[in-house]
Amino acid sequence: MRKKIIAGNWKMNLTPDQASTLVRETWEEIQGIDGVDVVVCPPFICIPTVREILDEYSINMHLGAQNMHWEESGAYTGEISPVMLKFYGVSHVIIGHSERRQYFGETDQAVNRKVLSALSHDLTPIMCVGESLKERDDGHTKDVVVAQVKRGLFEVMKDVVRRVVIAYEPIWAIGTGKAASAEDAQEVASLIREVLSEIYDEDTSREIRIQYGGSVSPENISDFMSMPDIDGALVGGASIKSESYATLVRLA
Ligand code: 13P
């Protein structure tokens, strides 16, 4: 049985004081809910504050980051290392989000290095894959996603790959209010699982969690969660309001 995982990607939103309020208010609404991993991924600068709040109120949420560098330290101006994340008890890290690929030139090779580094530092990578609107219209969704999965997981060994979470986020569905249909998302999730079977084996593939992301809301989450290969959601907009995020967790 794969445990459900709902992760909130706050992107470049909220200051530390707002982050603290959001986490406390969300917790008030979801306390006592079991059986789903809840992750919050604030901007780097909010991580120390969120850590304090999680500890102070014994909040059972996982702390995630939105990106990291693959090296532990060095001359990489503006970057944050896995060791720094670990210092604050970060357990999850989003890797290869389409916004990073699109606006910051992140390649599949960089994604792969980050995935390997995260795993070696005992961080759970949430590796994002997904096609653009043009790729979808040209009928390339499957090729694009398969290539991203294969390249992102290059040289990731079977004994650790179970810890990876794969987030299928079609780019055209992100922040547009136009989510993929649950059936279309399921088709891609099932394809990802086939690829994982090919690279590793069926048992391993069955253990890896796959999320859907892109305009997930309280209105559509149940459709996604009822699909056999979708184990959770990576949520942007609806994760920065306590009411909607709490509803998503409850419905999951
Ligand atoms: P939205 O939920 O705002 O569409 O964002 C999805 C996303 O990019 C999560 O990583």
PDB file of all heavy atoms in Angstrom, residues 129-143:
ATOM      1  N   VAL A 129       8.041  15.922 -13.670  1.00  0.00           N
ATOM      2  CA  VAL A 129       8.088  15.708 -15.117  1.00  0.00           C
ATOM      3  C   VAL A 129       6.771  16.222 -15.712  1.00  0.00           C
ATOM      4  O   VAL A 129       5.784  16.362 -14.993  1.00  0.00           O
ATOM      5  CB  VAL A 129       8.262  14.207 -15.466  1.00  0.00           C
ATOM      6  CG1 VAL A 129       9.575  13.663 -14.913  1.00  0.00           C
ATOM      7  CG2 VAL A 129       7.092  13.362 -14.948  1.00  0.00           C
ATOM      8  N   GLY A 130       6.792  16.496 -16.996  1.00  0.00           N
ATOM      9  CA  GLY A 130       5.536  16.949 -17.618  1.00  0.00           C
ATOM     10  C   GLY A 130       5.794  17.655 -18.935  1.00  0.00           C
ATOM     11  O   GLY A 130       6.864  18.225 -19.152  1.00  0.00           O
ATOM     12  N   GLU A 131       4.792  17.605 -19.795  1.00  0.00           N
ATOM     13  CA  GLU A 131       4.946  18.121 -21.158  1.00  0.00           C
ATOM     14  C   GLU A 131       4.348  19.521 -21.289  1.00  0.00           C
ATOM     15  O   GLU A 131       3.465  19.902 -20.526  1.00  0.00           O
ATOM     16  CB  GLU A 131       4.268  17.163 -22.155  1.00  0.00           C
ATOM     17  CG  GLU A 131       2.749  17.305 -22.287  1.00  0.00           C
ATOM     18  CD  GLU A 131       1.963  16.750 -21.101  1.00  0.00           C
ATOM     19  OE1 GLU A 131       2.577  16.266 -20.140  1.00  0.00           O
ATOM     20  OE2 GLU A 131       0.705  16.828 -21.135  1.00  0.00           O
ATOM     21  N   SER A 132       4.821  20.257 -22.278  1.00  0.00           N
ATOM     22  CA  SER A 132       4.262  21.585 -22.573  1.00  0.00           C
ATOM     23  C   SER A 132       3.001  21.406 -23.431  1.00  0.00           C
ATOM     24  O   SER A 132       2.728  20.303 -23.917  1.00  0.00           O
ATOM     25  CB  SER A 132       5.285  22.424 -23.340  1.00  0.00           C
ATOM     26  OG  SER A 132       5.504  21.849 -24.609  1.00  0.00           O
ATOM     27  N   LEU A 133       2.305  22.507 -23.654  1.00  0.00           N
ATOM     28  CA  LEU A 133       1.081  22.449 -24.463  1.00  0.00           C
ATOM     29  C   LEU A 133       1.414  22.032 -25.896  1.00  0.00           C
ATOM     30  O   LEU A 133       0.741  21.204 -26.498  1.00  0.00           O
ATOM     31  CB  LEU A 133       0.381  23.813 -24.445  1.00  0.00           C
ATOM     32  CG  LEU A 133      -0.984  23.843 -25.116  1.00  0.00           C
ATOM     33  CD1 LEU A 133      -1.933  22.847 -24.472  1.00  0.00           C
ATOM     34  CD2 LEU A 133      -1.586  25.244 -25.048  1.00  0.00           C
ATOM     35  N   LYS A 134       2.514  22.577 -26.405  1.00  0.00           N
ATOM     36  CA  LYS A 134       2.890  22.257 -27.786  1.00  0.00           C
ATOM     37  C   LYS A 134       3.237  20.770 -27.906  1.00  0.00           C
ATOM     38  O   LYS A 134       2.831  20.099 -28.855  1.00  0.00           O
ATOM     39  CB  LYS A 134       4.079  23.123 -28.223  1.00  0.00           C
ATOM     40  CG  LYS A 134       4.535  22.806 -29.619  1.00  0.00           C
ATOM     41  CD  LYS A 134       5.380  23.883 -30.243  1.00  0.00           C
ATOM     42  CE  LYS A 134       5.620  23.698 -31.752  1.00  0.00           C
ATOM     43  NZ  LYS A 134       5.653  22.347 -32.268  1.00  0.00           N
ATOM     44  N   GLU A 135       3.974  20.286 -26.910  1.00  0.00           N
ATOM     45  CA  GLU A 135       4.340  18.858 -26.949  1.00  0.00           C
ATOM     46  C   GLU A 135       3.088  17.980 -26.891  1.00  0.00           C
ATOM     47  O   GLU A 135       2.990  16.972 -27.579  1.00  0.00           O
ATOM     48  CB  GLU A 135       5.302  18.539 -25.794  1.00  0.00           C
ATOM     49  CG  GLU A 135       6.691  19.122 -26.023  1.00  0.00           C
ATOM     50  CD  GLU A 135       7.551  19.221 -24.776  1.00  0.00           C
ATOM     51  OE1 GLU A 135       7.018  19.181 -23.639  1.00  0.00           O
ATOM     52  OE2 GLU A 135       8.779  19.369 -24.939  1.00  0.00           O
ATOM     53  N   ARG A 136       2.135  18.420 -26.065  1.00  0.00           N
ATOM     54  CA  ARG A 136       0.884  17.651 -25.986  1.00  0.00           C
ATOM     55  C   ARG A 136       0.145  17.702 -27.328  1.00  0.00           C
ATOM     56  O   ARG A 136      -0.275  16.684 -27.857  1.00  0.00           O
ATOM     57  CB  ARG A 136      -0.008  18.206 -24.870  1.00  0.00           C
ATOM     58  CG  ARG A 136      -1.474  17.805 -25.014  1.00  0.00           C
ATOM     59  CD  ARG A 136      -2.190  17.662 -23.716  1.00  0.00           C
ATOM     60  NE  ARG A 136      -1.640  16.611 -22.889  1.00  0.00           N
ATOM     61  CZ  ARG A 136      -2.349  15.708 -22.219  1.00  0.00           C
ATOM     62  NH1 ARG A 136      -3.655  15.710 -22.305  1.00  0.00           N
ATOM     63  NH2 ARG A 136      -1.771  14.812 -21.473  1.00  0.00           N
ATOM     64  N   ASP A 137       0.014  18.930 -27.889  1.00  0.00           N
ATOM     65  CA  ASP A 137      -0.712  19.086 -29.159  1.00  0.00           C
ATOM     66  C   ASP A 137      -0.048  18.304 -30.289  1.00  0.00           C
ATOM     67  O   ASP A 137      -0.710  17.817 -31.198  1.00  0.00           O
ATOM     68  CB  ASP A 137      -0.815  20.570 -29.545  1.00  0.00           C
ATOM     69  CG  ASP A 137      -1.812  21.315 -28.645  1.00  0.00           C
ATOM     70  OD1 ASP A 137      -2.586  20.632 -27.938  1.00  0.00           O
ATOM     71  OD2 ASP A 137      -1.792  22.564 -28.631  1.00  0.00           O
ATOM     72  N   ASP A 138       1.293  18.219 -30.215  1.00  0.00           N
ATOM     73  CA  ASP A 138       2.000  17.481 -31.273  1.00  0.00           C
ATOM     74  C   ASP A 138       2.005  15.973 -31.013  1.00  0.00           C
ATOM     75  O   ASP A 138       2.673  15.220 -31.739  1.00  0.00           O
ATOM     76  CB  ASP A 138       3.447  17.982 -31.390  1.00  0.00           C
ATOM     77  CG  ASP A 138       3.512  19.412 -31.929  1.00  0.00           C
ATOM     78  OD1 ASP A 138       2.469  19.912 -32.416  1.00  0.00           O
ATOM     79  OD2 ASP A 138       4.597  20.033 -31.847  1.00  0.00           O
ATOM     80  N   GLY A 139       1.351  15.554 -29.950  1.00  0.00           N
ATOM     81  CA  GLY A 139       1.268  14.113 -29.660  1.00  0.00           C
ATOM     82  C   GLY A 139       2.522  13.535 -29.025  1.00  0.00           C
ATOM     83  O   GLY A 139       2.788  12.336 -29.138  1.00  0.00           O
ATOM     84  N   HIS A 140       3.321  14.395 -28.350  1.00  0.00           N
ATOM     85  CA  HIS A 140       4.591  13.910 -27.794  1.00  0.00           C
ATOM     86  C   HIS A 140       4.591  13.696 -26.285  1.00  0.00           C
ATOM     87  O   HIS A 140       5.650  13.497 -25.698  1.00  0.00           O
ATOM     88  CB  HIS A 140       5.728  14.874 -28.157  1.00  0.00           C
ATOM     89  CG  HIS A 140       6.013  14.938 -29.627  1.00  0.00           C
ATOM     90  ND1 HIS A 140       6.081  13.808 -30.402  1.00  0.00           N
ATOM     91  CD2 HIS A 140       6.236  15.987 -30.464  1.00  0.00           C
ATOM     92  CE1 HIS A 140       6.337  14.158 -31.664  1.00  0.00           C
ATOM     93  NE2 HIS A 140       6.422  15.477 -31.722  1.00  0.00           N
ATOM     94  N   THR A 141       3.425  13.782 -25.667  1.00  0.00           N
ATOM     95  CA  THR A 141       3.370  13.672 -24.203  1.00  0.00           C
ATOM     96  C   THR A 141       4.154  12.457 -23.687  1.00  0.00           C
ATOM     97  O   THR A 141       4.992  12.574 -22.791  1.00  0.00           O
ATOM     98  CB  THR A 141       1.902  13.575 -23.722  1.00  0.00           C
ATOM     99  OG1 THR A 141       1.240  14.768 -24.136  1.00  0.00           O
ATOM    100  CG2 THR A 141       1.811  13.449 -22.216  1.00  0.00           C
ATOM    101  N   LYS A 142       3.873  11.307 -24.271  1.00  0.00           N
ATOM    102  CA  LYS A 142       4.484  10.082 -23.760  1.00  0.00           C
ATOM    103  C   LYS A 142       5.997  10.085 -23.911  1.00  0.00           C
ATOM    104  O   LYS A 142       6.719   9.780 -22.955  1.00  0.00           O
ATOM    105  CB  LYS A 142       3.882   8.856 -24.447  1.00  0.00           C
ATOM    106  CG  LYS A 142       2.438   8.645 -24.000  1.00  0.00           C
ATOM    107  CD  LYS A 142       1.814   7.403 -24.559  1.00  0.00           C
ATOM    108  CE  LYS A 142       0.393   7.288 -23.966  1.00  0.00           C
ATOM    109  NZ  LYS A 142      -0.347   6.157 -24.504  1.00  0.00           N
ATOM    110  N   ASP A 143       6.483  10.476 -25.099  1.00  0.00           N
ATOM    111  CA  ASP A 143       7.945  10.484 -25.331  1.00  0.00           C
ATOM    112  C   ASP A 143       8.621  11.418 -24.346  1.00  0.00           C
ATOM    113  O   ASP A 143       9.674  11.108 -23.787  1.00  0.00           O
ATOM    114  CB  ASP A 143       8.308  11.032 -26.728  1.00  0.00           C
ATOM    115  CG  ASP A 143       7.492  10.396 -27.818  1.00  0.00           C
ATOM    116  OD1 ASP A 143       6.944   9.302 -27.560  1.00  0.00           O
ATOM    117  OD2 ASP A 143       7.397  10.987 -28.915  1.00  0.00           O
TER     118      ASP A 143
END
